C-alpha cells in the first residue's frame, strides 16, 4: 500500500469511527439509537435493575441510548425534566403528585417498582427504646421523599403508635443514616433498604425494633410507589420513544426477576460497592433480604394507585385531587 493509500485508509477509518460515535454504534442496516436523557437517583437508593438492564442491552435492543445524570432526589429529577435538561425522570408517586399540584405539567410514563417488603426501624445498641411502645417522643430520621414518612407512619400506626407522637427529621442522603444515629442526631432511623440496614447493623451494632417485614400491612395494595415521569409536551412529541422505554423497562423487570440472589448481589456490588455475599457471612440473612425484588412490570391499576395516594394523604399531606386520567400516561396503563 502506498503512503497516500494508507493515509486515505486511515482517514476513512476515522470518519467511520466518528459516524459510529454519532449514531451510537448502529450497524449498517440499523436505525440510529434514540438518545434519552435520564435523571435518576443513585444506585444505592433506586432499584439496581435499571442500570443492570442498560448493561444487559435491553434498552439498546429497543432502539434507545440511555444517558443518565444522577441527582439527589426524585423532586430534583422532575425539576430537571421540567427545565429541559432531562427527558424522563425517576421519582416516587408522591413527589410526582406534589409537583403536579405545584403547577408542573408532568405525567407517569411507566411505573418501575412497588414497595419493598421491609421497613427497618433501627436504634443504637445503648438506646432505651427497644420496642414500638417506647417510640413516642422519639426523633426519627427519614429520607426526603414523602413516601418514607407515609410508610413509616403507617407501620407505627399498625403497631399502636400514633405517628403524631414522634418527631420526623429529614436526612436527604440516606447513606449517612448509620452515622446520624451513631452520632445521636436522631433516636431512630427508618429505612426500607435492606442493603443499608444490614450494613449499619453490622458496622454500628444497631438494634432493630419489632418485625421489619411490612408486607403483611399491605400498605401499597399492589400499587407502584415510584416510576418514570416526563412533561406532557415531551410525551406528546416523543410517544414512540416513550413506548419503547416502557417496553424495555418491562423486559428488564421480567429478566431481573429470574436472577438468583447471588446474581442480583453482583449488580448491587457493582453499583453500590456493597458486597452482600461477604456481608452475609458476617450477618446471616442480609443476602436474601437485600435481594428481594419488587419491580412493578405491569400496567397501573388506578383504583390501587388511589388507595396508595390516600395513605400518603393521611400521613404525609400528599395531594389527592390530582386528575390521574390526565397525569398517568397511556404507556403506564396498557
Amino acid at each position: 500500500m502506498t503512503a497516500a493509500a494508507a493515509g486515505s485508509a486511515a482517514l476513512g477509518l476515522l470518519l467511520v469511527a466518528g459516524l459510529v460515535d454519532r449514531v451510537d454504534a448502529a450497524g449498517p442496516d440499523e436505525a440510529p439509537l434514540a438518545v434519552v436523557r435520564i435523571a435518576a437517583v443513585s444506585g444505592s437508593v433506586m432499584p439496581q435493575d435499571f442500570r443492570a438492564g442498560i448493561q444487559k442491552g435491553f434498552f439498546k435492543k429497543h432502539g434507545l441510548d440511555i444517558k443518565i445524570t444522577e441527582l439527589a432526589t426524585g423532586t430534583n429529577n422532575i425539576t430537571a425534566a421540567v427545565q429541559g435538561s432531562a427527558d424522563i425522570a425517576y421519582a416516587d408517586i408522591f413527589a410526582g403528585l406534589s409537583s403536579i399540584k405545584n403547577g408542573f405539567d408532568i405525567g407517569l410514563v411507566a411505573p418501575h417498582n412497588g414497595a419493598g417488603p421491609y421497613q427497618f426501624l433501627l436504634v443504637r445498641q445503648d438506646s432505651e427504646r427497644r420496642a414500638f411502645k417506647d417510640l413516642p417522643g422519639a426523633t426519627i430520621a427519614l429520607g426526603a421523599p414523602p413516601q418514607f414518612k407515609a410508610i413509616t407512619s403507617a407501620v407505627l400506626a399498625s403497631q399502636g403508635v400514633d405517628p403524631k407522637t414522634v418527631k420526623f427529621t429529614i436526612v436527604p442522603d440516606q447513606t449517612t443514616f448509620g452515622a446520624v444515629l451513631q452520632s445521636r442526631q436522631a433516636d431512630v432511623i427508618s429505612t426500607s433498604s435492606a442493603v443499608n440496614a444490614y450494613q449499619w447493623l453490622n458496622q454500628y451494632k444497631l438494634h432493630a425494633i419489632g418485625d421489619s417485614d411490612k408486607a403483611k400491612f399491605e400498605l401499597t395494595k399492589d400499587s407502584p410507589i415510584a416510576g418514570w415521569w416526563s412533561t406532557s409536551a415531551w410525551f406528546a412529541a416523543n410517544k414512540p420513544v416513550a413506548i419503547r422505554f416502557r417496553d424495555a423497562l418491562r423486559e428488564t423487570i421480567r429478566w431481573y426477576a429470574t436472577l438468583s440472589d447471588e446474581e442480583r448481589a453482583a449488580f448491587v456490588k457493582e453499583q453500590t460497592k456493597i458486597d452482600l455475599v461477604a456481608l452475609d457471612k458476617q450477618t446471616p440473612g442480609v443476602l436474601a433480604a437485600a435481594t428481594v425484588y419488587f419491580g412493578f412490570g405491569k400496567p397501573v391499576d388506578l383504583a390501587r394507585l388511589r388507595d396508595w395516594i390516600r395513605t400518603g394523604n393521611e400521613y404525609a399531606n400528599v395531594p389527592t385531587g390530582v386528575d390521574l386520567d390526565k397525569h398517568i400516561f397511556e404507556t403506564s396503563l396498557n
Side-chain angles (χ1 to χ4, degrees), residues 118-122 189-195 197-198 201 208 212 289:
Y118 303 107
Q119 191 66 28
F120 296 87
L121 296 176
L122 306 177
I189 53 177
S190 178
T191 180
S192 58
S193 170
V195 176
Y198 274 92
L201 283 166
S212 62

Side-chain angles (χ1 to χ4, degrees), residues 133-210:
K133 65 180 179 61
D134 303 321
L135 293 182
T139 297
I140 301 180
L142 299 170
Q147 68 178 22
F148 295 130
K149 183 178 180 182
I151 290 173
T152 303
S153 297
V155 169
L156 292 175
S158 73
Q159 298 300 302
V161 179
D162 184 347
K164 294 179 181 178
T165 65
V166 304
K167 177 184 177 182
F168 293 112
T169 184
I170 302 301
V171 180
D173 185 356
Q174 297 175 57
T175 63
T176 67
F177 274 13
V180 166
L181 187 60
Q182 190 68 8
S183 62
R184 302 179 185 274
Q185 298 177 57
D187 302 310
V188 186
I189 53 177
S190 178
T191 180
S192 58
S193 170
V195 176
N196 289 330
Y198 274 92
Q199 185 181 38
W200 299 327
L201 283 166
N202 180 67
Q203 181 179 358
Y204 298 108
K205 310 304 179 187
L206 305 179
H207 170 74
I209 289 179

Side-chain angles (χ1 to χ4, degrees), residues 9 14 33 43-44 64 83-84 87 115 121 125 129 134 144 154 167 180 182 207 220 237 258 279 319:
L14 288 173
L33 300 180
S44 64
L64 304 177
Q83 293 180 344
D87 301 315
L121 296 176
Q125 195 61 251
R129 294 181 168 88
D134 303 321
K167 177 184 177 182
V180 166
Q182 190 68 8
H207 170 74
T220 62
T258 67
L279 191 57

Side-chain angles (χ1 to χ4, degrees), residues 42-102:
S42 71
S44 64
V45 178
M46 69 180 288
Q48 283 80 35
D49 57 358
F50 182 67
R51 291 169 175 81
I54 295 172
Q55 180 179 326
K56 192 70 175 179
F58 291 117
F59 289 86
K60 184 177 180 180
K61 171 185 171 183
H62 285 270
L64 304 177
D65 178 22
I66 304 296
K67 305 292 188 184
I68 300 178
T69 297
E70 288 190 358
L71 300 174
T73 68
T75 300
N76 294 142
N77 293 335
I78 288 175
T79 299
V82 170
Q83 293 180 344
S85 60
D87 301 315
I88 301 178
Y90 178 84
D92 68 86
I93 295 295
F94 296 162
L97 296 176
S98 295
S99 296
I100 292 167
K101 271 297 187 181
N102 287 331

